[in-house]
Amino acid sequence: MGRIPLATSDKGLLVHLAAWYSKRRFGKVVEPLGAMSHHRGVLATISIMEFGVQRWHRLDPTLQCLAQIGAASTIGCSWCMDFGYWEAHHRGVDLAKIEGVPRWRQSEIYTDLERLVLEYAEAMTTTPPIVTDGLAARLRDHLGDARMVELTELVAVENLRSRFNSALGLESQGFKAECPLPQRG
């Protein structure tokens, strides 16, 4: 249960449209929307930003998801971890990599580039950020400038989401449980 009411009824056209879109895309009204429904300006601004973020595709889906889950894991946002798993599932990302993020340093399943992305997400998310010139240079060597900018902004956006959700007490909403288990051959 959130620290403020999570209602979307009787809040005006923008909130109703956002709730309709959420139900259509995710099968339910996402709780951050319920929280944001108390402030139409915040809801409108974040909605526009999120529609823009959905159109970023310079990084492959695995790196995008690892960057976001890495930040959410560092912050400890269970809502974002839950939703991130669902998102990764629907984007065809190897879910073992998503589940392993909290223990990525001990795992053998990540490529060198994936490890750099996770290290970067963690370094950006730590307060204060501890990104070094060396880490940024290694990533830039792999990614180039445009993908480096996309990666950095994805981690920054996830910090915004995770900190908002955590501060308002939003917890897992059951997205991971909705993902079908892979069939065994």
Side-chain angles (χ1 to χ4, degrees), residues 5-21:
L6 303 175
T8 57
S9 61
D10 302 324
K11 294 286 184 176
L13 181 60
L14 175 63
V15 174
H16 285 291
L17 286 172
W20 171 83
Y21 177 80

Side-chain angles (χ1 to χ4, degrees), residues 67-76 118-131 154-156 158-160 162-163:
Q68 293 174 92
I69 293 290
S73 176
T74 301
I75 291 169
L118 288 164
E119 182 180 352
Y120 189 69
E122 192 175 274
M124 272 188 68
T125 303
T126 301
T127 302
I130 55 172
V131 175
L154 281 170
V155 174
E158 187 55 46
N159 268 264
L160 172 87
S162 291
R163 292 177 190 282

Side-chain angles (χ1 to χ4, degrees), residues 99-170:
E99 287 183 340
V101 166
R103 299 164 307 285
W104 69 268
R105 281 185 172 81
Q106 294 80 34
S107 177
E108 301 292 326
I109 63 174
Y110 300 104
T111 66
D112 289 342
L113 178 55
E114 291 166 347
R115 288 180 177 287
L116 282 173
V117 165
L118 288 164
E119 182 180 352
Y120 189 69
E122 192 175 274
M124 272 188 68
T125 303
T126 301
T127 302
I130 55 172
V131 175
T132 65
D133 291 343
L135 174 58
R138 288 193 318 272
L139 264 171
R140 197 167 160 235
D141 286 345
H142 282 280
L143 300 176
D145 292 340
R147 292 191 307 160
M148 181 71 174
V149 167
E150 181 174 312
L151 171 65
T152 302
E153 195 58 38
L154 281 170
V155 174
V157 166
E158 187 55 46
N159 268 264
L160 172 87
R161 293 173 186 140
S162 291
R163 292 177 190 282
F164 177 87
N165 294 340
S166 293
L168 290 181
L170 304 182

Side-chain angles (χ1 to χ4, degrees), residues 22-80:
S22 180
K23 286 178 192 172
R24 184 168 183 228
R25 177 137 192 244
F26 309 117
K28 60 181 113 181
V29 176
V30 294
E31 290 180 355
L33 168 64
M36 286 182 226
S37 70
H38 295 285
H39 191 299
R40 286 186 206 110
V42 169
L43 176 60
T45 301
I46 296 302
S47 296
I48 291 166
M49 180 196 70
E50 290 291 357
F51 281 122
V53 171
Q54 290 175 19
R55 289 172 175 75
W56 299 347
H57 299 292
R58 301 259 173 122
L59 287 172
D60 73 64
T62 298
L63 295 180
Q64 286 183 335
C65 290
L66 288 174
Q68 293 174 92
I69 293 290
S73 176
T74 301
I75 291 169
C77 179
S78 67
W79 194 96
C80 295

